[in-house]
Amino acid sequence: MAASQDIIKHLASLKIIISEYNYQYYVLDNPSVPDSEYDRQMKALQAIELKYPELLTGDSPSQKVGDMPLPEFEQVTHELPMLSLDNAFDKESFLAFEKRMQDRLKNDAEISYSCEPKLDGLAVSLLYEHGILVRGATRGDGRVGENITANVRTIRNIPLSLRGVNYPQRLEVRGEVIMTRDGFVKLNKTQVEQDKKVFANPRNAAAGSLRQLDSRITAKRPLLFFSYSLGLVENEQYPLADSHSARLKQLSDWGLPLSKELQVAQGAQACLDYYQHLGDIRDSLNYDIDGVVFKADNIELQQKLGFVARAPRWAIAHKFPAQEEMTVVQDVEFQVGRTGAITPVARLEPVSVGGVTVSNATLHNADEIKRLGLKVGDTVIIRRAGDVIPQVVSVIVDKRPEDARNIVFPKMCPVCDSAIEKLEGEVVARCTGGLYCAAQLKESMKHFASRKAFDIDGLGDKIIEQLVDQKLVKTPADFFKLEFMQISNLERMGEKSAANLIRSLEKCKQTTLAKFIYSLGIREVGEATAANLAAHYCELEAIKQANIDSLQEVSDVGAIVAQHLVNFFAEDHNVQVVDELLASGIHWPKIEKIEVDFLPLSGQTFVLTGTLEKMDRNAAKAMLQSLGAKVAGSVSAKTSCVVAGEKAGSKLAKAEALGVKVLNEQEMIDMFVELGGII
């Protein structure tokens, strides 16, 4: 039965509506309807196309779900070659690039540049004819690529038909297909659950997803496309813009997505500032970049400069220092943490990564070792991003030596020889030795004396290790029983230092309930949770007696944290230590119950970043909490305000990108005064 005109009109209307939804969601990043509404419209479209298959066209939004597997990829010859870019690895190389352009132009005038993040993905070409996507292809060798049309159709932010009416009859758009970081994590989690191969990094995941013969698999992968240039252009109805940046704007008007980090810079110094800016915010982005691309913005200037064999003379990629390198795993050792967690650590052949020499990398747990398929002696790729602890990303199996040996996870604690247990539902194995384990004891003691806990001046890690090794302390309460002669006989501890430490121990007996709770080292009870417990219960005894239901009424305390608290105070030896600490003279001011809802900053989340010069960071944090604010460690869309001190980095950049309110230190102090806080 042929479709009626009403059905044909309804189908056309649905295509327009859904395409507009896709544009608003994926290109403008400003969805106008909830997902449920989008799903309803898509189901209506698919129902009509299923009933009337003759109405199904290649530009239908329903075609983003994938098609039947292909036997192989066809080759595509690019009508205009997709050239590479020359690289610059430092300031001098970039300045030399600019000087070459000026010399060739015989003009030393300042050059205007289009500045773009160098996305770490897969370069592709999209060909539109009369506004309809007719072909997608990989870059390949720059002249011949692979036809991946069926796969690119599935990528959510690639329009199957262009918007407007002013586009050329034949238009080739070039850009990068990437996978977001959170999408990559989810994909690998799914791969593990399905016992399939995991991907080493988002770039490999994106490339592997694009080269699926079954486009239905590609359709399930979290891929995105971002345009960065025009290729072939034929029969344009209206003149193209006379600058690269303006042409990118035209692509956006036609429905193609662009990076939100695009900028135009005047002169070399502005380019270097942009490079520094992207480097600062690099770790806060939800996708990988490995540098910045600078292009002479003026099209006429580009044409004058022309090309060399493989690259344009008017563009260069200014690369960031490498975050990944190859090295060899020489051994694997097992460390014991404060809570008994057994962490395997790879001992590496030292290698420089991002300007830092790396000789160790965390392997997290036994499941991670199994996932990697790692053996001692393997050549591996390690990754270091910002201040993140280096980690092994993947194993290069082809380089495995014959004498590579399996990694055997210990059954007994390597420090105290106690049994190791792994609880159901947990990935971390733990030593059962508790305070009997010297490793745990030392770490517990270090935590107790740390800056955010009792902040015992002069009681550093080395001194604590000596005290434990010499059995002078067995619990935190023993710190307050130490005598002058015991301390002065320690290595690197003279009489003056010993006297100072005795005074510090006496001074720190005046503390707060929040710091006291935090100092106990209860699993998953951090600084913020301890503060919330203190504010809620006001008294230690109330916290000790609280049950799981009561504890879950406290902000940020869920069932797991509540269970840890109950378990801690159910242990007689823990209660004994607490009692001994109190008996030693530790005390804190009485807490008056305050209704948080009535505090001026109630319901607001603050983040502190950078160096504060007028106010101690802990004091600022305590003041914010006393005014009802929650103080978080990371910036998100839910953050109310970021306080930025000197040398604020990625957190400030992320706040600015998200439009979060930013205060400097003086503005924060002024706010405290205005709200009645005591400075």
Side-chain angles (χ1 to χ4, degrees), residues 37-240:
E37 173 62 16
Y38 179 92
D39 293 340
R40 278 192 290 271
Q41 300 285 11
M42 178 62 80
K43 286 178 181 177
L45 174 69
Q46 291 170 328
I48 295 174
E49 291 175 339
L50 183 63
K51 188 173 182 179
Y52 303 100
E54 70 275 11
L55 299 181
L56 178 61
T57 58
D59 64 337
S60 172
S62 66
Q63 296 307 286
K64 291 186 177 292
V65 297
D67 209 337
M68 295 298 290
L70 299 171
E72 60 184 53
F73 292 112
E74 299 174 348
Q75 289 193 331
V76 172
T77 300
H78 300 296
E79 295 178 60
L80 288 178
M82 294 183 70
L83 301 179
S84 303
L85 292 175
D86 287 333
N87 294 319
F89 294 97
D90 50 36
K91 174 181 176 181
E92 289 70 27
S93 300
F94 172 71
L95 294 175
F97 156 74
E98 184 182 63
K99 182 68 165 54
R100 288 195 299 272
M101 285 197 297
Q102 291 173 330
D103 289 348
R104 193 168 188 86
L105 295 168
K106 297 181 172 57
N107 189 338
D108 60 0
E110 204 170 60
I111 295 173
S112 178
Y113 294 91
S114 174
C115 309
E116 308 161 20
K118 188 176 184 299
L119 301 171
D120 196 11
L122 193 73
V124 301
S125 159
L126 306 177
L127 181 63
Y128 290 86
E129 293 183 350
H130 302 287
I132 304 298
L133 177 64
V134 296
R135 191 187 71 201
T138 63
R139 178 183 176 276
D141 63 4
R143 298 187 179 277
V144 178
E146 293 175 319
N147 190 326
I148 53 168
T149 307
N151 290 342
V152 298
R153 286 181 179 277
T154 70
I155 298 175
R156 302 301 180 190
N157 69 339
I158 291 180
L160 301 180
S161 57
L162 299 178
R163 298 169 60 85
V165 295
N166 299 333
Y167 42 78
Q169 290 184 17
R170 295 188 81 216
L171 173 70
E172 183 194 4
V173 181
R174 294 174 174 180
E176 201 87 359
V177 172
I178 65 165
M179 185 176 290
T180 60
R181 289 174 179 171
D182 53 5
F184 170 73
V185 171
K186 291 178 182 177
L187 172 61
N188 265 353
K189 183 180 178 182
T190 301
Q191 293 290 101
V192 170
E193 291 171 351
Q194 298 177 357
D195 201 26
K196 296 179 179 178
K197 177 187 174 183
V198 297
F199 295 97
N201 52 54
R203 185 189 184 281
N204 287 358
S209 299
L210 266 187
R211 299 195 75 258
Q212 294 287 332
L213 292 173
D214 188 346
S215 61
R216 292 171 297 184
I217 297 175
T218 308
K220 296 176 182 177
R221 302 286 173 80
L223 300 174
L224 291 174
F225 171 84
F226 292 101
S227 313
Y228 57 62
S229 72
L230 292 175
L232 178 75
V233 178
E234 289 183 354
N235 301 321
E236 60 262 37
Q237 299 177 32
Y238 293 88
L240 294 174

Side-chain angles (χ1 to χ4, degrees), residues 582-600:
L582 297 176
S584 71
I586 290 171
H587 61 284
W588 49 82
K590 184 178 180 181
I591 302 174
E592 299 293 337
K593 186 72 172 177
I594 300 173
E595 294 296 331
V596 176
D597 291 345
F598 295 107
L599 293 174

Side-chain angles (χ1 to χ4, degrees), residues 357-527:
T357 299
V358 173
S359 56
N360 304 313
T362 181
L363 293 169
H364 300 292
N365 49 60
D367 289 353
E368 178 70 1
I369 292 173
K370 182 181 178 181
R371 182 187 74 77
L372 290 166
L374 178 68
K375 296 186 177 185
V376 175
D378 274 340
T379 297
V380 296
I381 296 174
I382 60 166
R383 181 175 180 86
R384 178 185 174 272
D387 295 328
V388 177
I389 299 170
Q391 60 181 351
V392 175
V393 175
S394 60
V395 175
I396 304 175
V397 179
D398 292 345
K399 292 182 176 289
R400 176 170 288 163
E402 292 184 2
D403 60 350
R405 64 182 193 272
N406 292 330
I407 298 166
V408 181
F409 211 91
K411 295 181 179 179
M412 310 300 286
C413 173
V415 175
C416 72
D417 210 33
S418 297
I420 291 174
E421 66 176 8
K422 183 179 177 183
L423 300 178
E424 187 178 350
E426 291 194 355
V427 296
V428 177
R430 298 182 188 275
C431 165
T432 59
L435 291 178
Y436 297 103
C437 177
Q440 292 183 68
L441 177 57
K442 286 177 181 178
E443 294 306 311
S444 296
M445 296 298 205
K446 291 174 186 177
H447 175 79
F448 182 88
S450 65
R451 182 173 56 84
K452 293 180 179 180
F454 269 74
D455 193 17
I456 306 174
D457 190 28
L459 193 58
D461 290 356
K462 298 295 184 184
I463 301 297
I464 291 173
E465 289 173 5
Q466 288 186 71
L467 290 169
V468 173
D469 290 340
Q470 296 182 28
K471 296 183 170 42
L472 294 174
V473 295
K474 295 180 180 179
T475 76
D478 292 336
F479 284 137
F480 302 97
K481 301 174 186 177
L482 290 169
E483 297 177 355
F484 175 82
M485 290 303 297
Q486 293 174 311
I487 299 173
S488 61
N489 287 330
L490 298 174
E491 289 182 23
R492 304 178 187 177
M493 184 65 78
E495 292 186 1
K496 185 177 179 181
S497 297
N500 288 337
L501 178 53
I502 292 290
R503 282 193 292 271
S504 294
L505 286 164
E506 189 62 34
K507 181 182 177 182
C508 75
K509 289 180 180 180
Q510 169 73 43
T511 185
T512 66
L513 177 56
K515 285 191 172 186
F516 184 82
I517 297 169
Y518 173 73
S519 75
L520 298 176
I522 304 169
R523 281 187 65 190
E524 299 193 46
V525 177
E527 199 179 1

Side-chain angles (χ1 to χ4, degrees), residues 328-360:
V328 176
V329 175
Q330 298 176 325
D331 201 0
V332 173
E333 297 177 1
F334 295 87
Q335 295 181 344
V336 185
R338 178 175 60 84
T339 62
I342 309 295
T343 303
V345 177
R347 304 302 183 196
L348 308 169
E349 187 177 293
V351 62
S352 179
V353 187
V356 176
T357 299
V358 173
S359 56
N360 304 313

